[in-house]
Amino acid sequence: MTTSDRYLAFANSAVGSRLANALGLPRPVPLERMPPYGDTETHIIAPPLAVVGGAGDAPLLPGLARELHWLGVPSLAHVARLDWISYANKAGTMSGRFNPVEGVRPKALLFDASAIANTGELSALYTFFHDTLATLDRCARVLVLGLPPSLASTPQASIAQRALEGFVRSLAKELKRGATAQLLYIAPHAREALHSTLRFFLSPRAAYVSGQAVTLQDPVFETPPMRDQRPLAGQVAVVTGAARGIGEAIATVLARDGAHVVCVDVPAAQTPLDAVAARLEGSALACDITAPEAGVTLLAHLATHAPRGLDILVHNAGITRDKTLARMSEAQWQSVLDINVGAPQRLNAALLDAGVLRANSRIVGVASISGIAGNRGQTNYAASKAAVIGMVEAWSPVLAERHISINAVAPGFIETQMTAAVPFAIREAGRRMNSLGQGGQPVDVAETIAWLAHPASGALTGQVVRVCGQSLLGA
């Protein structure tokens, strides 16, 4: 159960909207999200209308045309990029010319900036977005595609590509009506591995993710054939802390996408844990993940419920024991570090040593904005969540050799029972101090993890994606 955002509801009511406008108060827009688990229309998404542009020879456009065709996304060409029409038509999608005076409301803007070779050429960004931003529909998506600066052929090109990050993060803060913006750095060999990432960022799945710079590297393994409906069918996922809140949402979304979910939580949560597992047609394992025998217990459960091995491991379980450091007990320090990052490392080791994590599997950790920006009274929690990020960075090159990816999500203010107990003033500040002007939902974290777990997300490893509505903290 999550707390309701009464201001969000009021500001979007007939009376509240007039009052907010009169007083100059912010009016956060209710975000579009995917339907819940069990809805017969879960996988049907109205395709967004995209306006496409690019700079220079824009080498990503032909592949982008194919991806938009496969995703069923209609498109229009910016006046400076009319060659897009031929790319789209060759890919099997009819496309026309964008004309802002016609009143068309695109849902997405996509710009290939990967060929920008010096800072002077950044003016192409100005031209494209100056012409198109005012026409955007509500809850729209802006994607800028670039080249990882380290792979640029000249120092000048590297500098220009690095500039894209400042541009996109700033643009995301200027967008209104629930719109978001992201930067996708795409390595040359990752051009054929765009599908799952476009599927995520162009849909309501990415409702609360904004201002992010994501790098698609050379895939650590071959990208399987596309399967957008139930892409995790036949796979097994373990989710710790699955009895409630964010963990329950993660388990629910992974099950929606076809996975058999092993729901893990402490023995004290046995009753709600069993209920979640039964609802999702998964299995429940009541286990203290900090216990010395936790790895053996999990392996025994998997031997029965997943004899072919494990495909997805989500380290969600975590606790807080907030105190300023001078008032914090050693037990409060140690318990947070042990549960939040010690146990995940031990479980990783146990599963890797046993060979249970199959090739092409995914490990996803749940970090936090606190681990990026720090937070008063959370030296233990912030240290543990920064350590989760460190675990991802340290292990990604090692696991890539075994064809396993590891990534993390870093949630900001998410509406849960935990945040519902936060004092009112602090809770309101947490909700409003981001570009979308509201708190996120557990499903926002879950959808991001499902994207990282997607079979076609092999070009993503070593990434930390903030699910925070572009929080002003840690930005």
Side-chain angles (χ1 to χ4, degrees):
M1 179 180 179
T2 60
T3 184
S4 62
D5 187 342
R6 294 181 179 178
Y7 178 78
L8 176 66
F10 173 75
N12 286 278
S13 67
V15 174
S17 62
R18 290 196 295 270
L19 183 60
N21 288 336
L23 297 178
L25 298 174
R27 282 190 59 202
V29 170
L31 303 180
E32 298 173 357
R33 292 181 168 93
M34 293 289 288
Y37 177 84
D39 192 305
T40 56
E41 301 298 313
T42 290
H43 301 287
I44 299 178
I45 309 169
L49 172 65
V51 178
V52 180
D57 62 2
L60 298 176
L61 291 187
L64 185 61
R66 293 192 299 271
E67 293 293 348
L68 295 189
H69 169 64
W70 291 330
L71 290 167
V73 175
S75 65
L76 297 172
H78 183 256
V79 64
R81 198 83 240 180
L82 294 182
D83 55 345
W84 169 258
I85 296 175
S86 64
Y87 292 137
N89 292 344
K90 288 178 182 177
T93 302
M94 296 300 294
S95 180
R97 175 176 172 173
F98 172 68
N99 187 342
V101 302
E102 292 179 350
V104 175
R105 289 286 181 184
K107 198 80 166 181
L109 302 177
L110 295 94
F111 188 87
D112 179 5
S114 64
I116 290 179
N118 57 67
T119 52
E121 295 177 4
L122 292 169
S123 60
L125 291 166
Y126 169 83
T127 300
F128 176 77
F129 288 105
H130 187 265
D131 290 351
T132 57
L133 282 176
T135 69
L136 279 176
D137 199 356
R138 60 187 289 134
C139 296
R141 303 287 183 253
V142 174
L143 296 181
V144 175
L145 285 59
L147 177 72
S150 62
L151 299 181
S153 58
T154 67
Q156 291 78 12
S158 179
I159 293 167
Q161 290 298 316
R162 183 61 180 81
L164 298 178
E165 191 166 336
F167 174 82
V168 171
R169 291 191 192 280
S170 297
L171 183 63
K173 293 180 178 180
E174 296 180 6
L175 297 176
K176 299 177 181 179
R177 304 174 70 217
T180 63
Q182 328 291 343
L183 170 61
L184 306 181
Y185 280 129
I186 302 167
H189 289 100
R191 293 176 182 175
E192 301 301 319
L194 271 172
H195 185 75
S196 65
T197 298
L198 291 177
R199 174 181 180 267
F200 175 68
F201 281 123
L202 291 177
S203 78
R205 298 176 179 89
Y208 202 61
V209 179
S210 190
Q212 296 301 285
V214 174
T215 300
L216 279 74
Q217 306 172 31
D218 294 351
V220 298
F221 38 77
E222 185 177 352
T223 301
M226 289 179 303
R227 184 176 58 195
D228 281 343
Q229 292 193 10
R230 296 177 64 80
L232 304 181
Q235 296 199 2
V236 176
V238 166
V239 179
T240 66
R244 66 176 187 174
I246 292 174
E248 180 182 0
I250 295 168
T252 299
V253 170
L254 295 182
R256 178 203 69 191
D257 284 357
H260 170 90
V261 182
V262 177
C263 303
V264 180
D265 216 312
V266 294
Q270 181 80 67
T271 299
L273 182 68
D274 287 343
V276 171
R279 175 172 63 84
L280 303 180
E281 299 181 350
S283 60
L285 174 61
C287 172
D288 178 359
I289 61 171
T290 65
E293 68 278 7
V296 173
T297 302
L298 178 56
L299 287 170
H301 184 90
L302 292 174
T304 300
H305 295 86
R308 294 193 307 111
L310 182 63
D311 302 284
I312 302 163
L313 173 60
V314 181
H315 295 298
N316 166 73
I319 63 169
T320 58
R321 297 291 184 267
D322 293 354
K323 293 281 185 181
T324 57
L325 188 61
R327 300 178 60 192
M328 185 183 298
S329 69
E330 184 177 354
Q332 290 170 327
W333 171 272
Q334 192 57 50
S335 61
V336 170
L337 269 292
D338 197 34
I339 291 174
N340 293 3
V341 72
Q345 291 182 85
R346 292 191 293 272
L347 288 179
N348 286 348
L351 294 170
L352 288 168
D353 290 346
V356 170
L357 277 167
R358 302 198 299 171
N360 300 357
S361 60
R362 309 280 195 261
I363 300 174
V364 184
V366 177
S368 169
I369 286 296
S370 183
I372 296 172
N375 201 13
R376 186 180 186 276
Q378 287 194 322
T379 52
N380 51 0
Y381 184 75
S384 72
K385 293 305 185 179
V388 170
I389 295 172
M391 179 178 72
V392 166
E393 293 173 346
W395 275 97
S396 60
V398 178
L399 292 176
E401 296 176 359
R402 302 177 65 161
H403 302 292
I404 296 171
S405 69
I406 181 169
N407 298 284
V409 295
F413 187 95
I414 304 296
E415 303 278 4
T416 64
Q417 288 180 326
M418 183 184 298
T419 55
V422 172
F424 173 78
I426 298 175
R427 186 168 67 243
E428 281 301 298
R431 284 171 170 159
R432 308 306 162 209
M433 291 179 64
N434 62 74
S435 296
L436 296 174
Q438 59 195 285
Q441 298 294 328
V443 71
D444 298 322
V445 180
E447 294 284 10
T448 308
I449 289 174
W451 159 53
L452 295 170
H454 194 287
S457 293
L460 295 161
T461 193
Q463 303 291 296
V464 179
V465 181
R466 293 186 293 125
V467 187
C468 61
Q470 199 183 22
S471 172
L472 302 185
L473 299 174

